[in-house]
Amino acid sequence: MNQGKGNILLVDDEENLHEALKLNLEMEGYEVTSAFNGSEALKAIANEYFDLVVLDVMMPEVDGITVAETMRVNNLDTPILMLSAKNTSADRVLGLKKGADDYLAKPFNLEELLLRVEKLITKNQKIQEKETIGDLYNFGGNTIDFKAQHATTHDGKQIELSKKETMLLKLLVENKGEVVTREKILQVVWGYNVYPTTRTIDNFILNFRKHFEPDSRNPVHFHSVRSVGYKFNN
C-alpha cells in the first residue's frame, strides 16, 4: 500500500460510479476503502484513520449530511469531499456548514475530482505534520531518550521502553496540548491494518502515569479525553 499517497474512504451507493471512482483513485496510488451507505461509512470511520472521505450526499437510511455532521460532532477532523446531484447555492452552503471541506456537483469532471482529492489530502498531511522533536525530551523532571528507547523518571528510576511505548510517547509529545484521536494513534503506532482494543491504549497511558507522574491518580501530563483520544501536557 502506498501510505504516502493517502488512505481514502469512498462512500457512494451508486455502484457503477463507485467502482469507476475506486479504480481511478487506486490508479493514482491511493488506498481505497468502500462503503455503500452512511451506516457502513460511520462504522469504517470508527475503526480506521482516513486521510480523506469522499462522500455522496443522497443515500438511503443515513445520508451524507448526517455522516459529515456526526464526524464533526465527534471531533473527527478528517477532510470531507462531498459529492451531490444537488447543486444549488443552498445545497452547497448546507454541505459546507455540516462539515464538508469541498463540494463537487454531479456530473463532474474526473480530472477535477482527482485534483481536489490531491489538494485536500496534501493540505491535511501538512497540517498533521508537527515539528519533530529531538532524541531527548524533558518534562516534569523526566527525560525520554527516543532513540535509545529509555527513560529516566522524576524520582531517578531507569526504564526501558518498548518500541510501541516510544512511538506513542513521541506522537503525544509532538502534539502536546492537543487531543490525539484513537484513530490517529492506531494509524501511527500500530499501522492501518492492526487494531488493538481501546483498553490496550488505556494500559499504555496508565503505565506512563505510573512512571512519569508524581501522583498517577491526579495526572498532570497524560490525559484521557472520553470517547475521543488522549492528550499530553508539558
Side-chain angles (χ1 to χ4, degrees):
M1 184 186 78
N2 188 343
Q3 290 192 20
K5 268 294 235 180
N7 194 24
I8 296 174
L9 176 64
L10 176 60
V11 192
D12 198 313
D13 65 328
E14 193 178 327
E15 289 192 22
N16 290 338
L17 176 61
H18 190 120
E19 291 306 314
L21 286 177
K22 186 173 188 290
L23 177 63
N24 278 278
L25 289 166
E26 288 176 340
M27 286 173 65
E28 292 293 315
Y30 299 107
E31 177 79 5
V32 181
T33 298
S34 289
F36 291 91
N37 58 59
S39 297
E40 287 181 7
L42 290 172
K43 285 179 185 175
I45 291 161
N47 289 313
E48 187 170 351
Y49 177 86
F50 294 99
D51 296 292
L52 176 68
V53 177
V54 178
L55 180 63
D56 184 36
V57 171
M58 298 176 69
M59 293 182 292
E61 297 177 23
V62 181
D63 64 17
I65 296 291
T66 303
V67 172
E69 195 171 23
T70 302
M71 287 174 63
R72 299 311 184 224
V73 165
N74 289 321
N75 296 311
L76 292 174
D77 56 2
T78 308
I80 298 171
L81 172 56
M82 201 168 270
L83 308 178
S84 179
K86 297 180 177 182
N87 193 28
T88 67
S89 295
D91 292 320
R92 293 173 66 86
V93 167
L94 177 63
L96 295 169
K97 270 187 176 180
K98 294 300 183 182
D101 296 89
D102 201 353
Y103 190 104
L104 192 56
K106 295 179 179 181
F108 49 78
N109 178 285
L110 178 61
E111 189 175 357
E112 181 182 358
L113 177 133
L114 293 174
L115 283 170
R116 292 189 186 213
V117 164
E118 183 179 20
K119 283 191 173 184
L120 285 169
I121 288 180
T122 300
K123 181 180 177 182
N124 184 51
Q125 288 176 342
K126 283 181 179 177
I127 291 170
Q128 295 296 332
E129 287 173 3
K130 303 294 179 182
E131 184 179 349
T132 55
I133 54 177
D135 291 335
L136 292 175
Y137 185 78
N138 298 293
F139 68 97
N142 304 288
T143 301
I144 310 294
D145 187 331
F146 293 108
K147 190 173 183 179
Q149 295 182 197
H150 178 86
T152 304
T153 68
H154 57 90
D155 53 0
K157 291 179 182 174
Q158 305 295 311
I159 297 170
E160 297 300 320
L161 300 168
S162 70
K163 184 178 180 181
K164 291 279 191 291
E165 285 176 322
T166 305
M167 291 172 72
L168 179 54
L169 271 172
K170 192 166 189 179
L171 177 63
L172 291 171
V173 169
E174 285 179 344
N175 292 273
K176 65 182 176 183
E178 299 179 14
V179 177
V180 183
T181 64
R182 176 178 175 272
E183 290 76 22
K184 183 69 175 177
I185 290 170
L186 292 175
Q187 179 216 12
V188 173
V189 179
W190 276 271
Y192 281 99
N193 299 315
V194 181
Y195 302 113
T197 64
T198 302
R199 192 68 199 157
T200 302
I201 306 174
D202 284 341
N203 286 336
F204 274 60
I205 299 296
L206 289 172
N207 283 334
F208 293 162
R209 288 175 181 165
K210 184 173 69 175
H211 295 319
F212 304 123
E213 302 275 8
D215 181 357
S216 61
R217 293 186 178 182
N218 296 289
V220 174
H221 305 294
F222 296 94
H223 302 276
S224 299
V225 182
R226 191 182 178 104
S227 302
V228 181
Y230 309 86
K231 182 169 71 170
F232 170 81
N233 288 325
N234 199 335

